[in-house]
Amino acid sequence: MAQLHIRGLTAGYGGRPVLQGLSAGPLAESAVTALLGPNGSGKSTLLKTLAGLNPALRGELLLDGEDLARAAPSRRAERAMYMPQMLPKGVHMTVFESVLVAARSGRRGAAGQDLMRDAMAVIADLGIATLASRYLDELSGGQKQLASLAQALVRRPRLLLLDEPLSALDLNYQFHVMDVLRRQTRQHRLITLVVLHDLNIALRHADHALLLHGGMIEAEGLPGEVVTPATLRRVYRVRARVERCPQGQAQVHVDGLAGA
């Protein structure tokens, strides 16, 4: 079983550490791990470091025993796929063309017909088949986000890194995308890390959770074990309850600021 181990990771920008001796894992394949924490806690830095866009100052990033921190950029690109918060502008390419290009770059050697079929299947699974012939530079922010997610999924990397993929989506698509993401992760045995700010989405859709605070892991485990009144007070500085709705789903209810 593929696993990701993060050991003693220190990383940052301009010599200023953001992550300081962070250790987590093992993160298993076929599971969606929610990366949680307040603004500035190091979530995006962790994803960028795993993707090789930001160098690790110290530590190991072991994927199936291979240290990604010391892998060649081409090897890292084969194994890890990063979807950023901000998507590139001015790309004059249809949604289908962009997803097909992503499939070809991530799965070299696969038959062209298979790649075309898989590209359309991912597009349809995300509910954007009507956008297949539309150009990326004429789409709304949410539509671009869905197209970018299709590009990431079709590559079928071992390590899928998504930075706030729901930020521009309405409630319907937020639920739909997390359902698709969980299904694709299991079907293709991916190791998926996704930055989420909505704790209720994490409680409902994630298999595992990492809660960051001050560049370190505050809590790790099942979402219901990580998102608790105690951790919400320590990390988010709020007074909150985690209760189950009539359908049995855990939900966060914030009563006020801690100390207020």
Side-chain angles (χ1 to χ4, degrees):
M1 178 178 290
Q3 292 182 330
L4 173 67
H5 295 259
I6 303 170
R7 296 177 178 169
L9 176 62
T10 297
Y13 308 95
R16 181 181 65 85
V18 175
L19 307 175
Q20 303 189 53
L22 184 149
S23 295
L27 307 183
E29 68 177 18
S30 303
V32 174
T33 294
L35 197 54
L36 310 174
N39 295 332
S41 59
K43 302 182 299 297
S44 294
T45 300
L46 176 55
L47 290 194
K48 290 177 182 177
T49 304
L50 286 167
L53 302 177
N54 186 55
L57 302 176
R58 288 189 296 277
E60 296 178 318
L61 306 171
L62 301 175
L63 180 59
D64 305 333
E66 178 183 7
D67 191 356
L68 293 179
R70 292 164 178 77
S74 58
R75 176 61 174 168
R76 180 92 65 107
E78 288 177 2
R79 309 215 69 195
M81 174 66 198
Y82 170 70
M83 176 182 162
Q85 294 180 32
M86 301 299 293
L87 307 178
K89 298 179 180 179
V91 178
H92 192 66
M93 183 181 293
T94 68
V95 169
F96 175 74
E97 289 169 343
S98 71
V99 177
L100 183 58
V101 167
R104 287 171 175 163
S105 65
R107 295 160 58 191
R108 292 189 176 94
Q113 289 296 322
D114 290 342
L115 295 178
M116 293 179 68
R117 182 194 65 239
D118 292 345
M120 278 307 304
V122 169
I123 289 171
D125 204 16
L126 286 170
I128 55 173
T130 57
L131 301 179
S133 60
R134 295 271 303 278
Y135 285 95
L136 293 173
D137 53 7
E138 65 182 25
L139 300 181
S140 70
Q143 290 170 335
K144 288 179 181 178
Q145 205 161 32
L146 291 166
S148 182
L149 183 56
Q151 295 165 26
L153 287 171
V154 80
R155 292 184 59 166
R156 297 181 188 170
R158 297 304 295 147
L159 182 58
L160 180 61
L161 308 166
L162 307 176
D163 200 347
E164 296 190 47
L166 310 181
S167 61
L169 303 182
D170 61 35
L171 288 175
N172 181 289
Y173 266 113
Q174 287 179 18
F175 192 99
H176 179 68
V177 163
M178 289 305 299
D179 184 58
V180 171
L181 183 60
R182 198 174 191 184
R183 187 168 65 250
Q184 291 264 341
T185 294
R186 290 175 176 174
Q187 180 180 352
H188 301 298
R189 300 171 64 183
L190 311 180
I191 299 173
T192 298
L193 274 74
V194 53
V195 173
L196 296 173
H197 278 294
D198 191 321
L199 301 179
N200 288 323
I201 288 179
L203 285 168
R204 185 181 188 95
H205 293 281
D207 303 298
H208 192 76
L210 299 178
L211 178 60
L212 271 66
H213 187 213
M216 301 183 71
I217 298 294
E218 178 73 22
E220 177 180 3
L222 295 174
E225 299 171 346
V226 169
V227 180
T228 67
T231 59
L232 293 175
R233 176 178 284 271
R234 288 198 307 270
V235 174
Y236 291 96
R237 305 304 302 161
V238 296
R239 292 181 291 108
R241 295 166 285 122
V242 181
E243 300 178 347
R244 294 196 175 274
C245 70
Q247 287 74 37
Q249 179 63 48
Q251 296 180 331
V252 175
H253 301 273
V254 178
D255 296 318
L257 300 178

